[in-house]
Amino acid sequence: MPEAPALSRAAAPSISAATGNLDLIRPQPYTTWAPQVTAEERATLRRELEQGAVLYFPSLKFHFEPGEERFLDARYSDGKSKNINLRAGDTAVRGAQGTQQDLSDLYKLIRRYADSSESLIRTLFPEYIPHMTRAGTSLRPSEIAGRPVSWRKDDTRLHVDSFPSNPMLGKRLLRVFHNIDPASPRVWRVGEPFGDFAQKFVPKTHGMWPGQAALMKLLHITKRKRSEYDHRMLQLHDLAKADLDYQRDVPQQEFHFPPGSTWIVFSDQLLHAAMRGRAMMEQTIYLEPQAISDHTHSPEAVLARMLGRPMLLS
Ligand code: SIN
Ligand code: FE
């Protein structure tokens, strides 16, 4: 099994699958949620993130307050949803069960993770601040391996995140993950760059028929009109998960995120699969597409280039 790499920035390999030596993990030395970073370090972090790498913080720990360890137990999930969620702006969690005290303590824990994650993103990427919106936060207290789910919902298959009912209209999905389990690593696979993945699957996708976006909204299949960007991204998500040969043969890397580690990715760009692990916290941040300075690697840029026209985002 791969060991966590040493804390070195030297000789970071480029994101190329061509050699078969995929190395997408970029270890970072920071130990606090509002670290001191130089402008040069920030520029490197942003470039790597936007190229589709995993920014990995092996020593950035999210601490429990006394008594909060009890929430590592899956019994606080309500049984219907696998995650306990906090929507931005809400003052209570969803998907949980317990006493009033439990629910209020869960809110405090998850809210603190949301605040810490947002602080990290603001500190590392100040250019994103005018373009970002806090979205959901989740505590995922159940073992991933062996869950009975349909292939489409099976996150042990490599995929890029895309939601059937929640069109993003080009907004990017920036996610901050933390392995809160004290004993087990969170085991992920990450796969080839988005551009290579798109080469294989975009030719198998199709556009929407006239009126489809309006009809889906009318029928409440989607929360708002789906854009062509969303339509293609969703097909890419499904095509990758449905193709078991691709899952097996695509250039990929397994990585074990140890207990107490943090990582940041664009989950709509990085091919990822969560194979094993017990308890994780996750913060989603939406980023307006104009926040992105790399116009080569982003899904929107890749799709526009391949389809020969800008992606209409509405
Ligand atoms: C996913 O985003 O596909 C799942 C991540 C995880 O649960 O580790
Ligand atoms: Fe995912």
Side-chain angles (χ1 to χ4, degrees):
M1 288 301 106
E3 286 298 304
L7 274 185
S8 160
R9 286 271 187 87
S14 68
I15 299 175
S16 162
T19 59
N21 290 326
L22 198 61
D23 185 5
L24 296 175
I25 312 293
R26 301 286 178 274
Q28 309 298 330
Y30 310 109
T31 56
T32 75
W33 296 87
Q36 295 277 343
V37 263
T38 65
E40 201 186 335
E41 285 167 340
R42 285 203 307 266
T44 306
L45 289 166
R46 186 174 180 195
R47 189 179 59 250
E48 293 182 334
L49 181 71
E50 293 188 4
Q51 286 181 353
V54 179
L55 302 183
Y56 166 52
F57 304 79
S59 309
L60 179 50
K61 200 164 162 51
F62 179 72
H63 292 282
F64 280 130
E65 300 284 332
E68 286 178 343
E69 301 85 356
R70 71 188 190 281
F71 297 124
L72 288 170
D73 195 305
R75 73 169 182 272
Y76 293 96
S77 294
D78 69 4
K80 289 188 278 277
S81 40
K82 56 183 182 182
N83 303 333
I84 299 174
N85 295 297
L86 178 64
R87 293 192 188 171
D90 277 7
T91 50
V93 296
R94 299 169 192 238
Q97 62 182 2
T99 63
Q100 271 311 320
Q101 187 65 50
D102 292 332
L103 297 181
S104 135
D105 289 354
L106 267 170
Y107 166 75
K108 281 192 209 127
L109 166 70
I110 298 178
R111 177 63 200 264
R112 206 169 68 248
Y113 184 71
D115 292 344
S116 301
S117 300
E118 188 173 324
S119 151
L120 181 65
I121 296 298
R122 285 172 170 264
T123 311
L124 299 183
F125 309 107
E127 300 87 352
Y128 288 169
I129 295 173
H131 306 290
M132 64 190 246
T133 316
R134 185 188 292 196
T137 319
S138 59
L139 168 63
R140 308 181 182 193
S142 324
E143 171 61 53
I144 308 166
R147 260 192 211 145
V149 283
S150 68
W151 65 267
R152 243 193 209 99
K153 290 196 169 158
D154 182 359
D155 287 341
T156 68
R157 300 180 187 213
L158 286 162
H159 64 283
V160 288
D161 288 345
S162 177
F163 313 119
S165 63
N166 191 13
M168 286 288 108
L169 310 179
K171 279 204 220 58
R172 303 299 311 282
L173 288 168
L174 182 59
R175 289 188 145 164
V176 183
F177 296 95
H178 184 78
N179 183 0
I180 194 98
D181 193 89
S184 335
R186 192 122 190 136
V187 179
W188 273 29
R189 290 186 293 145
V190 290
E192 66 181 357
F194 186 87
D196 296 350
F197 161 59
Q199 286 297 328
K200 292 176 190 129
F201 289 110
V202 168
K204 297 184 179 160
T205 64
H206 38 83
M208 284 185 288
W209 33 269
Q212 182 175 355
L215 186 65
M216 284 195 297
K217 175 165 181 276
L218 193 72
L219 297 175
H220 302 291
I221 296 170
T222 54
K223 292 185 195 165
R224 60 194 76 82
K225 274 173 81 176
R226 187 185 276 179
S227 65
E228 180 178 2
Y229 172 77
D230 290 291
H231 193 62
R232 302 260 181 192
M233 288 295 284
L234 195 58
Q235 291 172 78
L236 291 178
H237 168 277
D238 289 357
L239 284 163
K241 281 190 174 174
D243 188 334
L244 293 179
D245 292 335
Y246 180 74
Q247 293 288 325
R248 188 190 57 229
D249 298 335
V250 65
Q252 59 189 276
Q253 170 186 17
E254 185 177 283
F255 194 77
H256 292 207
F257 296 100
S261 66
T262 304
W263 60 107
I264 302 176
V265 302
F266 276 118
S267 67
D268 52 4
Q269 177 172 350
L270 173 78
L271 272 168
H272 62 282
M275 309 310 291
R276 290 199 310 281
R278 257 196 239 127
M280 189 182 70
M281 301 199 72
E282 171 269 332
Q283 175 65 46
T284 302
I285 287 171
Y286 295 151
L287 259 196
E288 299 292 338
Q290 62 266 35
I292 307 299
S293 63
D294 182 312
H295 299 294
T296 304
H297 300 86
S298 76
E300 184 197 349
V302 169
L303 292 182
R305 213 163 47 236
M306 287 189 69
L307 297 167
R309 59 179 186 280
M311 281 289 91
L312 297 178
L313 299 177
S314 57

